[in-house]
Amino acid sequence: MVTIKNLSFAFIKGELLFNNLNMELEAGRTYGLFGLNGAGKTTLLNHISGMLFPSDGSCIVNGYATRERRPETLSDLIIVPEQFELPPVKLDIYLSLHAPFYPNFDENQMRDLMDRFVLDRSKLLSKQSYGQRKKFLISFALAANTRTLLLDEPTNGLDIPSKSQFRKVMAATNNEDRCTVISTHQVRDLESMIDKVTVLHKGSIIFDQTIESITDNLSFQRTDELTDNAIYWEEVLGGYQIISENIQNREEQPIDLEMLFNATIESTEKLNRAFKSVEAE
Amino acid sequence: MNDLKPTNSFSFPRMVQVIKRTFALNMRTWGTGTLVVLGALLLFWFFPLLLGREPWHQFISGNLIQPALFFYTVGGLFLTSAVFYELHSPDTAFLTLTLPATNFEKLASAWLITSVLYTVISAALYAALVLILHVFSMFYVGTEIPFSLYQLESSEIGQTLISYFGYQSVFLLGAIVFRKNNFLKTLLGIIAFMIVTFIIIGLLFLVFKGSMFEGSYTVQISSNDLFTTLYPVFNALIVIVILTVSYIRLKNKQVA
């Protein structure tokens, strides 16, 4: 669905942000794209949406390079940026102007989503709060029913009930044809929605595993003392929270995505070794 | 609502939708601009009255067309400079760049709006204004005044239109290329281009004639000569070249 092949890119000549980045995104999955500030998450989404062009390599969506900005590709792809401004028109006007470009746009679904997010139709979009505008854009993106959906920090600026509503809406609108990429810092907000974790660090993908694989290979525990098989640990009140290899193949345990992210940054090799050793067996 | 087929080739209905979108998103700004220009034209009409001259006298003399052409040109170039404003901010660029239409449709829409449609709407507004002022003058004077919509030589209007279409394409290119102050930067670009051209011509004279300012050189253009005939063709060719460059720049536009 989305193929990123040997992608290299630099904002400043000589300072590569991506160096031969490779990635394959499949339909029916929701990817959590994580990374530190400046890791290039937004830049990667901008490449996938065709707003930026690779200096080298390619970014292909549904068989076509996104840099070509073909209408067929763009009508099946939508991005909700983290920072954005919307024009000074009312919601319904915006819909009448933009929805016709998306062949699978579902008006009833849009109306339902606007009701769920309690959006005010009487106000101009430019006069609405950031959170309201974001909810509108998320609703539009979901109702467009494109096969590629890119969400950059979707929960930023949403209040607590809206975050919960967002999770429900995402679950309700999930479909097998859609490839969703969610870039975020707020891992806890989206834990339940993601089925593949991708960590971008210093221009490379340093971790790329499905939730199933993580559950099979890693164990998230709270212990009183540090154990030898701990890959990564964090001190918590009265003990340690550890990530270790799931050698005993225990029952499924809840994944702490925030801790996993920290582990990928600080113990990249050890963590990936845990997956390789199981694959080798 | 979903009547546009996502084809990769040119689609006329999609271009119409892009035009509608551009109009709707800019209506407030353009509406304000139109009111400002109409207000300024009214001032020009009333100005002689303030100086003790009769307004209908000014009106009948047909001088309103001069400021109207001036505002048409300047207003149109301002409008053109801002037509791609969404492109230049990371917060709004996604609206244009990821809009499912071809680059040609986006450019053609912008060009049509700021040249052909703008000219048609301006002419219609001017005609309406003149008609209203004519009726008002007749009512004020109490006698019939001969009505004439455009009291200038039609060739002068034609010249203005040809010049406008030429410069408009340059400002359209400036609207794509420059990130801020598009109007001023394009104007500066044109002035710089002219200065460089004059310097080159001067240097050529220096090389071939021995002095840059020796003697005087007069270029005489009579209304019947070949130059006048070819000028619109030459202008059209320049417009096509500039629009092609604009298309390439739009196609390669990237925003982080």
Side-chain angles (χ1 to χ4, degrees):
Chain A
M1 181 142 239
V2 179
T3 307
I4 292 167
K5 211 171 176 185
N6 302 324
L7 188 145
S8 296
F9 179 77
F11 280 112
I12 303 162
K13 215 175 179 184
E15 287 181 29
L16 281 174
L17 181 61
F18 301 135
N19 191 8
N20 282 321
L21 190 77
N22 288 290
M23 225 175 154
E24 189 80 40
L25 308 176
E26 297 160 17
R29 285 198 181 277
T30 301
Y31 292 82
L33 184 63
F34 304 125
L36 298 171
N37 290 330
K41 302 185 294 294
T42 300
T43 306
L44 187 59
L45 295 188
N46 286 342
H47 273 91
I48 299 174
S49 64
M51 284 199 281
L52 281 175
F53 304 157
S55 330
D56 215 351
S58 60
C59 179
I60 311 284
V61 174
N62 299 327
Y64 294 100
T66 50
R67 64 174 297 159
E68 290 174 24
R69 293 190 197 127
R70 295 159 66 98
E72 276 182 28
T73 311
L74 293 175
S75 62
D76 209 8
L77 176 156
I78 202 156
I79 184 168
V80 177
E82 183 192 3
Q83 293 296 330
F84 61 90
E85 278 174 29
L86 292 176
V89 291
K90 287 185 181 171
L91 280 65
D92 292 329
I93 302 283
Y94 185 95
L95 292 180
S96 69
L97 296 173
H98 293 86
F101 290 101
Y102 297 92
N104 299 320
F105 192 88
D106 186 335
E107 284 176 66
N108 294 330
Q109 192 181 2
M110 183 70 200
R111 236 172 279 136
D112 175 52
L113 289 166
M114 289 205 291
D115 290 341
R116 282 196 196 205
F117 279 127
V118 199
L119 295 173
D120 183 355
R121 289 170 189 228
S122 61
K123 261 188 179 176
L124 295 177
L125 277 166
S126 54
K127 300 277 179 199
Q128 308 230 9
S129 71
Y130 172 67
Q132 289 292 95
R133 278 184 282 141
K134 185 151 238 177
K135 284 189 277 184
F136 172 76
L137 211 53
I138 289 170
S139 304
F140 184 87
L142 290 172
N145 287 303
T146 55
R147 282 190 291 165
T148 308
L149 172 64
L150 310 171
L151 303 169
D152 195 1
E153 302 286 356
T155 55
N156 251 12
L158 299 192
D159 53 29
I160 293 165
S162 299
K163 281 181 185 179
S164 153
Q165 194 60 259
F166 171 71
R167 282 190 289 268
K168 284 180 200 165
V169 156
M170 284 297 288
T173 56
N174 197 22
N175 76 58
E176 284 180 7
D177 295 332
R178 178 184 282 167
C179 167
T180 307
V181 186
I182 304 177
S183 150
T184 187
H185 286 110
Q186 300 179 26
V187 284
R188 289 201 196 282
D189 286 346
L190 307 167
E191 267 175 348
S192 58
M193 293 163 32
I194 286 159
D195 53 22
K196 194 160 188 191
V197 175
T198 305
V199 179
L200 198 57
H201 189 57
K202 292 182 180 169
S204 303
I205 306 282
I206 57 164
F207 186 82
D208 190 26
Q209 296 291 341
T210 62
I211 292 291
E212 291 159 348
S213 167
I214 294 166
T215 314
D216 289 347
N217 295 308
L218 297 178
S219 164
F220 293 79
Q221 295 166 285
R222 188 194 161 91
T223 59
D224 296 335
E225 286 182 10
L226 272 179
T227 53
D228 289 342
N229 65 343
I231 295 169
Y232 177 80
W233 63 90
E234 283 175 5
E235 261 185 90
V236 291
L237 201 64
Y240 297 90
Q241 190 73 36
I242 68 163
I243 300 178
S244 59
E245 278 189 48
N246 192 4
I247 42 175
Q248 288 132 339
N249 217 0
R250 278 175 289 225
E251 287 295 299
E252 218 173 272
Q253 295 154 61
I255 298 170
D256 182 338
L257 271 185
E258 197 170 293
M259 197 174 162
L260 178 69
F261 173 70
N262 290 336
T264 59
I265 301 294
E266 289 183 29
S267 311
T268 316
E269 278 186 32
K270 270 167 111 182
L271 195 74
N272 281 317
R273 222 179 292 140
F275 289 87
K276 279 175 192 159
S277 62
V278 174
E279 279 165 21
E281 280 167 23
Chain B
M1 200 179 264
N2 304 330
D3 51 354
L4 299 176
K5 284 179 189 161
T7 167
N8 289 325
S9 49
F10 175 74
S11 157
F12 184 72
R14 196 165 55 202
M15 191 177 75
V16 171
Q17 185 67 21
V18 178
I19 290 174
K20 268 192 217 167
R21 179 186 177 273
T22 311
F23 258 111
L25 301 188
N26 293 287
M27 214 151 61
R28 282 164 178 261
T29 316
W30 294 352
T32 311
T34 307
L35 288 178
V36 168
V37 170
L38 290 177
L41 285 177
L42 275 179
L43 270 182
F44 270 94
W45 189 71
F46 275 117
F47 197 61
L49 179 70
L50 297 174
L51 295 176
R53 289 176 69 195
E54 302 288 344
W56 50 86
H57 176 76
Q58 167 73 7
F59 171 65
I60 294 164
S61 71
N63 286 343
L64 203 57
I65 190 73
Q66 298 278 9
L69 285 176
F70 171 78
F71 284 122
Y72 159 78
T73 306
V74 175
L77 297 181
F78 261 116
L79 182 98
T80 307
S81 298
V83 75
F84 281 115
Y85 75 95
E86 280 181 345
L87 271 184
H88 305 295
S89 159
D91 294 349
T92 50
F94 78 102
L95 290 167
T96 303
L97 292 181
T98 67
L99 188 75
T102 62
N103 290 307
F104 177 78
E105 286 156 10
K106 290 173 192 173
L107 182 74
S109 308
W111 182 79
L112 277 172
I113 289 169
T114 53
S115 58
V116 181
L117 291 175
Y118 171 73
T119 303
V120 170
I121 292 169
S122 300
L125 284 173
Y126 177 75
L129 180 75
V130 167
L131 198 66
I132 291 165
L133 294 181
H134 184 80
V135 171
F136 179 78
S137 298
M138 281 208 310
F139 175 75
Y140 203 71
V141 176
T143 55
E144 199 170 320
I145 299 166
F147 177 74
S148 174
L149 191 59
Y150 302 110
Q151 282 119 332
L152 268 191
E153 285 283 321
S154 61
S155 66
E156 279 186 66
I157 296 173
Q159 286 294 331
T160 307
L161 286 179
I162 291 169
S163 297
Y164 175 72
F165 274 62
Y167 283 112
Q168 185 268 345
S169 62
V170 181
F171 278 81
L172 191 65
L173 176 62
I176 296 168
V177 173
F178 300 120
R179 294 191 71 173
K180 281 181 182 172
N181 303 318
N182 307 58
F183 180 82
L184 290 175
K185 282 180 181 171
T186 310
L187 200 61
L188 192 68
I190 292 171
I191 292 167
F193 176 78
M194 284 176 169
I195 290 171
V196 170
T197 308
F198 281 125
I199 289 172
I200 290 170
I201 291 169
L203 286 174
L204 287 175
F205 270 103
L206 190 69
V207 169
F208 294 108
K209 296 275 181 185
S211 167
M212 223 184 267
F213 306 106
E214 197 179 283
S216 65
Y217 302 95
T218 313
V219 180
Q220 270 197 319
I221 302 164
S222 86
S223 58
N224 299 320
D225 70 9
L226 193 64
F227 181 84
T228 313
T229 319
L230 286 181
Y231 178 65
V233 181
F234 179 71
N235 204 55
L237 284 175
I238 298 237
V239 168
I240 290 167
V241 170
I242 293 168
L243 288 178
T244 308
V245 175
S246 304
Y247 171 76
I248 293 165
R249 294 302 296 249
L250 181 64
K251 198 176 161 207
N252 293 320
K253 189 82 185 170
Q254 296 181 69
V255 178

